[in-house]
Amino acid sequence: MAFECQRVTRVSKDLANSVEDSLQSQIESELNNLNFEIEATKSTLESKQLPCNDVLSNLHRSTITDLPPALISEILNCLDPKELGIVSCVSPILHRLASDHHAWKEFYCERWGLPIASAPLGAGFSDDKSWKELIDVLYGHTEAVLTVFVLASAKLLFTSGYDSIVRMWHLEDGFSIASSKPLGCTIRAVAADKKLLVAGGTDGFIHCWRAVEVLPHLFDISGSEKQNTQFRLWEHEGPITSLALDLTRIYSGSWDMTVRVWDRALLKCLKVLRHSDWVYGLAPHDTTVASTSGSDVYIWDTNSGCLLTVVNGAHVGNTKSLARSHTGDFLFTGGEDGAIHMYEIINDCTEANVLLVATWIPHTGPVNSLAFEFPWLVSAAGDGKLSLIDVRKLLRSGRPTSGKRVSRVIEVEPPQRMLHGFECNLLSVDIGADRIVCGGEEGIVRIWNFSQAFEIERRARALRGIRLENRMRRRKLQTEMSSKGGRTDQCSVAAKKNPMNGNRRSVWHNKRGMSGKLKA
């Protein structure tokens, strides 16, 4: 969504005053602790009456290029679309920043509608360009993004990390909706549904916000509505690393080597599930919860608090990430060894058996985060890559109907898609509503709309099928032609191999000729 404007040779005095007031006042208010030469620029203006372009170029050289994009985004938040349009005329850098800003995007969408990312027919699922056209980049965090959560039912996205601020975004448009006050610690986990938002950090507290029915975006995380919707839970003795919700309970995992199960109505801890190492991830379903601790994978009964089964040494190193299918039958784990395992859970009356189904090794760094939405499994790793895996073939594979179940590792294809090119450690990923969202050390949140990419892939597969059918048809015709022509070739070859037949025929003709001469 680029905003283009014609170059002008002269800028009116009103335009100069508008640009000076909108930019200079905002920069002074946001950067009052930084020692830039704004006062010197003002004095020069009053004495020499420099043109507007010179003013902005001096201001640009002394301030804008030295600021991080997130801080510039906060400054531009104070400008309306008209002022952003003026800013974009000043320099290529300001043009790019103003054009990518959410306020200008919102103004563009209100007037002209959402732009359509186009890709050529048959570009294919493996075409990097088609995916880059379907990506949106969200700026706002000033440090690494450690957790992202997609609330697909409300089209909301929640992100947080080292800057201790929880941010809420519109999932489809990428607009920033609201942000919380600094919570005083690193936030490592976020989870939400339409009634409750929870965030956990290194202080051991679970920060919670109740939904407000009158709000279009459910949660008042900024506190602007002055309603008492925020509260905290505390019992963990270490940083909280993972959170999950169901209809009646809150699940929290911590580096204090416990998983705690909370009652949502009473706000009271019901069960404490103790592990032998730091807890990295958890995934509840019905009356069971799966968790990863160290290199092991645990399955617990949440009603009794009993351990049903454990997979020892699931990965070489720590098992850092965990995801679970919506039916609860399949587990996905990612480890420091760069591998991803798929397990099947078979529940019996008193125990649960965990069988290894498949293994992928798509990464060269630790798999920091996993997310699953049928049929796609997405992983984010320390090598700066995302992998996208289709598990439909594995789910369709037959199961033994009788006898004892045994582990059955199936030969699987490599990931259908690898998204790379990021020069940083990817720390979190989530998937929902045909969107893939990831965050990493650079403090940027990226969103892929892969619904259009799958349509491109469908058309590309159809074209490949037509080409394959035509190729097979030509090959069949060539085979038939060669088989028909082979008979005459065999006769000619036989004639060449038996030259005596030709000699006998010539001798017979000679004898016939000699007899005719004698009769004459």
Side-chain angles (χ1 to χ4, degrees):
M1 286 177 288
F3 174 76
E4 298 182 359
C5 61
Q6 297 179 352
R7 294 185 178 179
V8 293
T9 56
R10 295 183 106 181
V11 181
S12 65
K13 187 175 180 180
D14 293 336
L15 180 61
N17 293 333
S18 174
V19 174
E20 182 181 355
D21 292 339
S22 60
L23 280 177
Q24 195 168 348
S25 63
Q26 298 305 326
I27 292 174
E28 286 177 354
S29 62
E30 296 290 339
L31 307 175
N32 55 2
N33 295 328
L34 301 177
N35 296 322
F36 294 114
E37 299 178 353
I38 295 179
E39 295 297 332
T41 304
K42 286 184 178 179
S43 61
T44 304
L45 274 176
E46 295 175 355
S47 61
K48 296 184 179 181
Q49 295 296 322
L50 292 177
C52 177
N53 288 337
D54 294 339
V55 174
L56 290 175
S57 62
N58 292 334
L59 188 61
H60 163 65
R61 285 196 297 268
S62 61
T63 60
I64 297 299
T65 57
D66 299 329
L67 300 179
L71 187 54
I72 298 176
S73 178
E74 292 295 330
I75 297 173
L76 296 180
N77 279 336
C78 302
L79 305 181
D80 59 27
K82 181 180 178 181
E83 292 171 335
L84 287 172
I86 296 173
V87 168
S88 66
C89 298
V90 175
S91 69
I93 295 178
L94 289 178
H95 167 77
R96 177 176 56 81
L97 292 173
S99 301
D100 290 340
H101 196 261
H102 67 86
W104 172 247
K105 290 181 181 179
E106 186 174 7
F107 176 72
Y108 184 102
C109 294
E110 288 178 356
R111 177 164 294 187
W112 294 290
L114 288 173
I116 299 175
S118 59
L121 182 64
F125 192 56
S126 59
D127 187 8
D128 288 335
K129 186 176 180 181
S130 65
W131 276 74
K132 289 179 181 178
E133 290 175 352
L134 303 175
I135 187 176
D136 198 4
V137 180
L138 309 182
Y139 296 96
H141 288 284
T142 57
E143 297 184 65
V145 178
L146 300 181
T147 177
V148 297
F149 185 86
V150 174
L151 183 57
S153 59
K155 298 181 180 179
L156 295 177
L157 168 65
F158 301 93
T159 61
S160 191
Y162 281 133
D163 61 4
S164 75
I165 296 175
V166 177
R167 295 184 179 272
M168 180 166 55
W169 314 78
H170 194 283
L171 182 60
E172 293 185 348
D173 300 334
F175 300 150
S176 177
I177 298 173
S179 58
S180 70
K181 297 177 181 178
L183 300 179
C185 66
T186 298
I187 302 299
R188 293 185 172 273
V190 173
D193 57 21
K194 284 191 171 183
K195 294 184 178 180
L196 186 65
L197 167 66
V198 292
T202 54
D203 59 357
F205 282 96
I206 303 176
H207 303 266
C208 310
W209 293 265
R210 294 188 183 92
V212 181
E213 294 182 357
V214 297
L215 291 180
H217 301 298
L218 299 180
F219 302 103
D220 178 29
I221 61 175
S222 61
S224 59
E225 299 295 326
K226 298 181 180 180
Q227 298 186 24
N228 188 19
T229 62
Q230 184 175 358
F231 61 95
R232 297 192 299 178
L233 302 176
W234 181 80
E235 277 197 18
H236 282 289
E237 299 176 356
I240 295 174
T241 58
S242 51
L243 289 168
L245 300 174
D246 64 16
L247 295 176
T248 59
R249 295 174 178 178
I250 303 172
Y251 302 85
S252 59
S254 171
W255 282 350
D256 64 2
M257 299 188 292
T258 66
V259 169
R260 295 180 183 268
V261 184
W262 307 76
D263 186 283
R264 286 180 60 159
L266 302 176
L267 302 180
K268 179 181 178 181
C269 182
L270 302 176
K271 299 291 180 182
V272 179
L273 312 177
R274 301 191 180 278
H275 299 68
S276 60
D277 206 335
W278 288 358
V279 175
Y280 287 97
L282 58 86
H285 181 268
D286 198 13
T287 60
T288 63
V289 59
S291 59
T292 61
S293 173
S295 61
D296 304 329
V297 180
Y298 295 77
I299 308 292
W300 302 83
D301 183 278
T302 55
N303 291 330
S304 63
C306 297
L307 178 63
L308 298 179
T309 188
V310 60
V311 180
N312 294 308
H315 290 270
V316 178
N318 292 322
T319 304
K320 301 199 69 175
S321 53
L322 180 68
R324 194 169 183 177
S325 64
H326 296 297
T327 60
D329 297 333
F330 294 94
L331 275 181
F332 306 93
T333 64
E336 289 182 332
D337 53 3
I340 300 172
H341 297 318
M342 177 179 176
Y343 295 94
E344 182 180 5
I345 304 174
I346 297 97
N347 290 313
D348 295 332
C349 297
T350 57
E351 62 179 5
N353 296 320
V354 179
L355 306 178
L356 180 62
V357 175
T359 296
W360 301 268
I361 310 179
H363 298 290
T364 58
V367 181
N368 295 318
S369 182
L370 287 173
F372 179 77
E373 184 180 69
F374 180 83
W376 302 105
L377 175 66
V378 186
S379 63
D383 58 3
K385 296 180 181 179
L386 288 174
S387 70
L388 186 63
I389 302 172
D390 187 352
V391 301
R392 276 175 289 194
K393 292 183 179 179
L394 299 174
L395 299 182
R396 286 197 300 262
S397 60
R399 300 182 181 181
T401 57
S402 62
K404 186 177 180 180
R405 293 180 180 268
V406 295
S407 179
R408 46 183 180 85
V409 181
I410 301 173
E411 293 293 333
V412 296
E413 297 178 355
Q416 276 70 22
R417 182 67 196 169
M418 294 295 295
L419 300 176
H420 51 83
F422 314 108
E423 299 179 356
C424 69
N425 184 11
L426 298 182
L427 301 172
S428 56
V429 69
D430 202 3
I431 182 173
D434 291 335
R435 302 295 194 278
I436 299 174
V437 184
C438 80
E441 284 186 346
E442 59 186 348
I444 296 174
V445 179
R446 288 181 169 87
I447 302 178
W448 284 269
N449 179 0
F450 62 88
S451 60
Q452 298 181 41
F454 290 154
E455 176 64 22
I456 294 171
E457 168 64 6
R458 187 188 65 79
R459 289 183 290 170
R461 286 182 177 177
L463 290 176
R464 284 196 296 268
I466 294 173
R467 288 196 297 267
L468 179 61
E469 184 179 353
N470 292 335
R471 190 180 301 118
M472 296 298 294
R473 189 176 299 158
R474 288 195 301 269
R475 191 170 297 172
K476 184 178 180 181
L477 290 175
Q478 290 175 358
T479 304
E480 292 177 354
M481 293 295 293
S482 61
S483 62
K484 291 179 180 179
R487 297 175 182 176
T488 57
D489 294 340
Q490 290 174 1
C491 295
S492 60
V493 170
K496 290 179 180 178
K497 288 184 177 180
N498 299 306
M500 292 301 295
N501 294 333
N503 293 336
R504 290 174 182 173
R505 190 177 298 111
S506 61
V507 171
W508 182 78
H509 285 296
N510 290 334
K511 289 181 178 180
R512 185 176 180 182
M514 289 177 64
S515 61
K517 290 179 181 180
L518 291 174
K519 288 181 180 180

